[in-house]
Amino acid sequence: MISTHLHRVLATGILAGACLAAPTAHAADYAFSGHIRFHNDLVQIDFALAAPASVQLWTDSWLGGLNVDPQLSLWRDGLRVAANDDDDTVASGQGYYDAGLSLHLADGHYRLVLSAAGNDPVGASLAQGFSLGTEAPIALTDWTQPSSDINAGDQKGGFWQLHLSGVSQAAAVPEPASYALLAAGLMTVLWLARRRPGH
């Protein structure tokens, strides 16, 4: 199981998933942000490159140590391309524990996964999941992240912010619960439409 109990991700700059099927040749910058609730939540962003390009992928959500210590892993066709925890040199505004990747990539489709540091990819395949994926979810307010400073009381928030620069298209991957909610809503609308007089 790749994602466990992924809390509703509120992201900005979301494009329809269909846009990824036909990327344009123009590179752009995207910013996503939201909140995770549990120690084994995953935030997943799909992006595409219409041509080989240099890209920068980074977080700037550290906020002085009051939020989750993020790490990034990058995947193509389900195989790991790169991973990083604690690189604040990719862009200005990053905090000490923020993550970043700056690399040249071939054209195609990629998946970027943000997880809390300590929830590491298990292997070279995304299908193998993440190290904390089988654990019962622990609220971030109750979890001591491996890199936390217990005396400072840091890393107890769930805010995250992620930037992609130089990509053609990008969109957040909906959580499984969102698909279920959408299907239930659609069924309710259809049921109400059939109950209307004259139908």
Side-chain angles (χ1 to χ4, degrees):
M1 183 158 94
I2 293 174
S3 177
T4 60
H5 302 281
L6 181 62
H7 184 60
R8 193 174 294 174
V9 174
L10 302 174
T12 58
I14 297 177
L15 300 176
C19 292
L20 288 175
T24 63
H26 303 290
D29 297 341
Y30 295 87
F32 298 87
S33 64
H35 287 83
I36 60 174
R37 291 176 44 201
F38 301 107
H39 78 307
N40 52 7
D41 283 350
L42 301 175
V43 175
Q44 301 182 63
I45 307 291
D46 282 348
F47 70 90
L49 296 176
S54 293
V55 301
Q56 290 76 41
L57 314 166
W58 76 93
T59 66
D60 64 352
S61 49
W62 179 242
L63 294 179
L66 300 177
N67 286 279
V68 69
D69 173 5
Q71 66 180 4
L72 297 174
S73 55
L74 180 62
W75 310 81
R76 181 175 182 177
D77 298 326
L79 299 177
R80 187 168 45 182
V81 174
N84 176 262
D85 182 18
D86 301 341
D87 184 349
D88 61 356
T89 65
V90 176
S92 63
Q94 291 185 280
Y96 180 77
Y97 286 111
D98 274 311
L101 294 166
S102 182
L103 59 171
H104 191 80
L105 298 174
D107 58 311
H109 293 86
Y110 294 85
R111 177 161 292 182
L112 183 63
V113 179
L114 182 149
S115 60
N119 189 18
D120 306 315
V122 171
S125 168
L126 187 55
Q128 292 174 276
F130 285 71
S131 59
L132 304 180
T134 58
E135 294 184 4
I138 302 170
L140 289 179
T141 54
D142 299 326
W143 183 54
T144 301
Q145 197 167 355
S147 55
S148 69
D149 179 350
I150 197 161
N151 296 315
D154 63 358
Q155 299 177 4
K156 295 298 184 185
F159 175 76
W160 58 269
Q161 188 160 270
L162 178 61
H163 301 268
L164 294 82
S165 178
V167 305
S168 302
Q169 302 285 347
V173 178
E175 59 180 302
S178 294
Y179 286 123
L181 186 61
L182 180 62
L186 181 59
M187 294 301 290
T188 301
V189 168
L190 292 173
W191 180 75
L192 290 173
R194 296 185 104 188
R195 291 195 46 167
R196 285 187 359 195
H199 287 85

